[in-house]
Amino acid sequence: MKIAVFISGRGSNLQALIEGCQSGEVPAEIGLVVSNRPGAQGLKRAAAAGIATAVIDHTTYDSRESFDAALDAATQRAGCDFICLAGFMRILTEDFVRSWRDRMLNIHPALLPAFPGINCHARAIEMGVRITGCTVHFCRPELDNGPIVTQAAVPVLPDDTEETLAARILEAEHVIYPMAVKLIAEGRVRVINEKVRIMDGAYPEREKLISPVAG
Ligand code: GAR
């Protein structure tokens, strides 16, 4: 499996994927990192790991369709057959998402289907939920929607701010994103009736899927 990772900023999930692939834990290769922002920190992480990068700046395209066509062309040119969205903050067109059906993952910092969209940490605190978390899912055209591959539950503590909660969830993201890609790269994931089934036995380290940070 050859992956294109799409980012917009910091790239800490990209880093977790790079380390997973480089250590051999995830049997896949990252062939390209694409950022829609020229200054994204994740571009430096990719370069440091010797991975090809491309900047496809959405502000230089006059439509979502032409921007997505450029993303698609770069991905194909790099020989990638799978896409991981890792903090990529652009909404993709329905056509693009359909053409990468079951070959594109997203990570979202909430327990979907709760809190899709932006500001999910602030909304979780505002709603007073005790447990939130993160989700890796296949993409469907509706935002933050699609069959769930891995999730981790993370507690919301009484004194949490948006920042402290986001940091706690991020640690769990770095566990469940490589885990999801590993399962897929090993050929153990099937999407049946819009639900993910893990073949050949149980989830790996099942208990860790519940609050891996508390581990
Ligand atoms: C992560 O928390 C990721 O879940 C979130 O952006 C952050 C990117 O951090 N993604 C979304 O909110 C997408 N809906 P990173 O650049 O350090 O990986």
Side-chain angles (χ1 to χ4, degrees):
M1 199 163 106
K2 199 165 174 187
I3 304 168
V5 183
F6 291 6
I7 61 166
S8 296
R10 182 177 53 191
S12 70
N13 278 291
L14 164 67
Q15 188 69 45
L17 293 173
I18 290 173
E19 286 166 18
C21 292
Q22 284 184 344
S23 71
E25 175 70 12
V26 178
E29 178 196 347
I30 300 175
L32 180 68
V33 171
V34 177
S35 173
N36 66 305
R37 297 222 176 89
Q41 192 193 338
L43 289 168
K44 294 198 186 83
R45 298 180 192 265
I51 298 168
T53 59
V55 173
I56 300 179
D57 181 350
H58 63 281
T59 63
T60 64
Y61 291 82
D62 55 12
S63 68
R64 285 193 186 275
E65 287 73 18
S66 57
F67 173 64
D68 286 6
L71 293 173
D72 194 78
T75 303
Q76 309 269 9
R77 220 170 21 243
C80 296
D81 52 7
F82 201 91
I83 295 173
C84 288
L85 305 179
F88 184 68
M89 303 309 262
R90 300 298 300 167
I91 291 174
L92 296 160
T93 58
E94 211 170 305
D95 279 355
F96 184 92
V97 178
R98 278 193 211 293
S99 70
W100 287 91
R101 187 185 171 93
D102 296 345
R103 296 185 301 147
M104 179 160 64
L105 289 177
N106 180 43
I107 185 155
H108 183 73
L111 281 178
L112 292 172
F115 307 118
I118 59 169
N119 300 327
C120 45
H121 307 102
R123 286 186 288 138
I125 292 170
E126 173 65 24
M127 291 301 291
V129 299
R130 303 298 170 89
I131 304 280
T132 181
C134 46
T135 304
V136 176
H137 64 94
F138 286 111
C139 298
R140 294 295 181 263
E142 311 77 50
L143 183 68
D144 296 326
N145 198 287
I148 291 166
V149 186
T150 49
Q151 286 188 308
V154 174
V156 182
L157 302 181
D159 296 332
D160 264 336
T161 62
E162 219 177 309
E163 290 71 30
T164 58
L165 179 58
R168 191 175 311 114
I169 293 174
L170 194 64
E171 277 188 59
E173 293 184 45
H174 298 162
V175 175
I176 67 162
Y177 213 168
M179 185 187 283
V181 176
K182 175 183 165 74
L183 288 168
I184 293 165
E186 289 174 344
R188 295 179 56 201
V189 170
R190 301 274 178 284
V191 180
I192 301 167
N193 295 330
E194 287 299 83
K195 278 195 196 134
V196 164
R197 297 280 172 230
I198 309 293
M199 316 308 277
D200 307 328
Y203 260 40
E205 304 180 72
R206 183 176 205 120
E207 65 287 352
K208 282 199 179 169
L209 289 177
I210 313 296
S211 198
V213 178

